[in-house]
Amino acid sequence: MNSQLIQQGRAAYRAGDFSAAAQMLGAAKTPNEIMGEADHLRGNALMHLGMYAEAAEAYAAALNDGAYGKRGALLTNRGKALAAVGDYTTAAQAFSAATQDASYATPFKAYLGLGNALFQSGDYANAGTAFRQAAIDGANPAPAAALGDLGRCFIKLGRPADAVETYRTAIDFAGPRDDTRALNAGMGQALSAAGRPSDALDAFNAATADGIYQLTPEQADELARVHDSLAALSAQTAMFTAPAPAMDAPAVDPLDPTGATGQFMPDPSDTGFFTLSESEMVQQDRKQAKVRRRHRHTGLKIFLVMLLLIVIAAGGLGYAYTRGMGCPSQESVITDLFQAAGDGDTAKAESCLASSLSEDAKAMIISSIPQGATVSIEGMDQSMTETTAKVKASLSKGGEQEYTVKFVRSDNHIGWAVSSFDIDFSAADNQ
């Protein structure tokens, strides 16, 4: 076992040089030596290089190291590698075994992989069961995507009504990581299959409104059928529906054409208006006085409505605060931290860190941030005062690295600041 090559392999992997990492980690041990960490990291590097069959073998070698653990993560990654080469049967077996690992912290990843492998194999019923398990897993930061996959299964099973309800729930639960365009396109398919072409067209239009989402060939065919159904329905309606007779326009007072005041001027031809008795005039004056009193109360009503809106807004802000919202947000803080560290602006980078951290801790965090990387938050566990986030950094050399970042409220108690920053070697595809 060459520990120096293993260290160099780790460094190359962190820098995004996956080809060098795979070579060094492979040369660090003989084929008969067992070292789960080296084979695990080598498998990840091979996945990044698109060498899926070799990656599956590396993960299998890592599984031989019982002391290393991480069985669920290794089986899930092996399932992904096997699915990538089209071996869905063996992939499903690996994913299914991963779900049995009670120590695996993110079983939803295994269930998603299992569902996709079974779907590709045509086993839509069991695929739907797997997607449902992924959706209800509390660790899943994007359950809407899993619900969308469940909707696809219902369509394949000939249950369009269930698919419609599933997609509707998915859209309701959609978060920042979910593609609502894809969910609306799936909803269009489900509504078309349910015999609701007009609603299906609305869903497809919502999916493609911004010009970004491209319908799949299957969805495009379904949209064509929707247009054909609506055209046939329109022709049938035109054939059997006679034109409605013209109606005389209602009388309009030229001094109040919109009727906004609610009081139409009397028609001069209505001689009854000019022949009212004195008692009738008194009664009419009383009615007019009531109308004027109602109008005088309009200002009070507006004030009360505005007050109610302010109370609702304050309640909304309080609710948002307890749910972990802040200004600046967690995503803004981590983006500024990476940008400032990459630019060498230490002062700005330190402003993104919690004031409770020591100077040494701050310097260590800033120095561990890779140069030129772009960053995004993949998932968050939020509360009123603390947040734990999974952060993905796209490295300048083309690789990716994931981190576990913890946030606390900043000194102003409104925004957020980074309190800890750890490289994550056990995330998806970096597991």
Side-chain angles (χ1 to χ4, degrees), residues 12 31 102 168 170 222 232 247 330-331 371 380 412:
R168 180 175 288 116
E222 197 66 48
M247 301 293 291
Q330 298 93 331
E331 187 165 7
Q371 292 279 334
M380 288 195 294
N412 63 11

Side-chain angles (χ1 to χ4, degrees), residues 204-278:
F204 280 124
N205 287 339
T208 59
D210 58 9
I212 296 176
Y213 182 79
Q214 298 296 318
L215 298 177
T216 66
E218 188 176 19
Q219 292 167 349
D221 291 342
E222 197 66 48
L223 178 57
R225 283 191 285 273
V226 166
H227 284 300
D228 291 343
S229 297
L230 291 175
L233 183 62
S234 177
Q236 186 178 22
T237 302
M239 183 181 298
F240 292 101
T241 303
M247 301 293 291
D248 292 336
V252 176
D253 180 358
L255 299 180
D256 185 19
T258 65
T261 65
Q263 303 175 46
F264 287 90
M265 295 292 290
D267 187 341
S269 64
D270 183 6
T271 56
F273 174 79
F274 299 100
T275 59
L276 293 174
S277 66
E278 183 176 355

Side-chain angles (χ1 to χ4, degrees), residues 62-388:
L63 283 164
N64 292 327
D65 188 353
Y68 177 61
K70 297 189 178 181
R71 182 174 177 79
L74 288 168
L75 285 166
T76 298
N77 280 4
R78 176 169 163 78
K80 292 178 182 178
L82 291 167
V85 297
D87 188 356
Y88 298 114
T89 300
T90 312
Q93 293 171 357
F95 287 126
S96 182
T99 65
Q100 305 304 311
D101 181 5
S103 66
Y104 188 29
T106 55
F108 71 89
K109 296 176 183 177
Y111 281 116
L112 286 174
L114 177 60
N116 284 316
L118 293 172
F119 189 92
Q120 293 295 331
S121 301
D123 188 354
Y124 304 122
N126 286 318
T129 300
F131 286 133
R132 180 184 177 278
Q133 289 298 119
I136 64 177
D137 187 343
N140 188 352
L147 288 171
D149 290 329
L150 176 57
R152 288 193 302 145
C153 294
F154 279 133
I155 291 175
K156 290 291 188 180
L157 291 169
R159 296 168 57 180
D162 291 326
V164 169
E165 291 305 313
T166 302
Y167 278 115
R168 180 175 288 116
T169 303
I171 292 170
D172 289 341
F173 274 89
R177 295 184 60 191
D178 296 304
D179 187 355
T180 54
R181 305 179 192 89
L183 294 175
N184 275 307
M187 174 71 90
Q189 285 183 276
L191 288 166
S192 176
R196 297 164 58 181
S198 180
D199 293 334
L201 181 60
D202 290 341
F204 280 124
N205 287 339
T208 59
D210 58 9
I212 296 176
Y213 182 79
Q214 298 296 318
L215 298 177
T216 66
E218 188 176 19
Q219 292 167 349
D221 291 342
E222 197 66 48
L223 178 57
R225 283 191 285 273
V226 166
H227 284 300
D228 291 343
S229 297
L230 291 175
L233 183 62
S234 177
Q236 186 178 22
T237 302
M239 183 181 298
F240 292 101
T241 303
M247 301 293 291
D248 292 336
V252 176
D253 180 358
L255 299 180
D256 185 19
T258 65
T261 65
Q263 303 175 46
F264 287 90
M265 295 292 290
D267 187 341
S269 64
D270 183 6
T271 56
F273 174 79
F274 299 100
T275 59
L276 293 174
S277 66
E278 183 176 355
S279 61
E280 290 172 332
M281 289 182 180
V282 169
Q283 290 179 350
Q284 191 169 45
D285 285 342
R286 289 176 178 171
K287 291 180 182 179
Q288 293 297 328
K290 291 181 180 179
V291 171
R292 287 193 294 271
R293 283 197 297 272
R294 285 199 297 270
H295 287 175
R296 284 198 299 270
H297 292 161
T298 300
L300 178 59
K301 293 176 181 177
I302 293 175
F303 170 76
L304 292 175
V305 169
M306 293 299 294
L307 180 60
L308 178 60
L309 291 175
I310 291 172
V311 171
I312 292 173
L317 290 173
Y319 175 77
Y321 185 86
T322 62
R323 298 291 292 175
M325 303 300 177
C327 183
S329 65
Q330 298 93 331
E331 187 165 7
S332 177
V333 168
I334 198 67
T335 300
D336 289 346
L337 176 59
F338 268 73
Q339 182 66 44
D343 293 342
D345 189 347
T346 304
K348 184 175 180 181
E350 288 185 349
S351 70
C352 300
L353 304 176
S355 59
S356 59
L357 292 173
S358 67
E359 293 302 320
D360 289 341
K362 292 179 180 178
M364 184 175 295
I365 289 175
I366 294 171
S367 64
S368 67
I369 294 175
Q371 292 279 334
T374 56
V375 65
S376 63
I377 290 182
E378 297 297 301
M380 288 195 294
D381 181 9
Q382 298 171 272
S383 69
M384 184 169 67
T385 57
E386 294 182 353
T387 293
T388 300

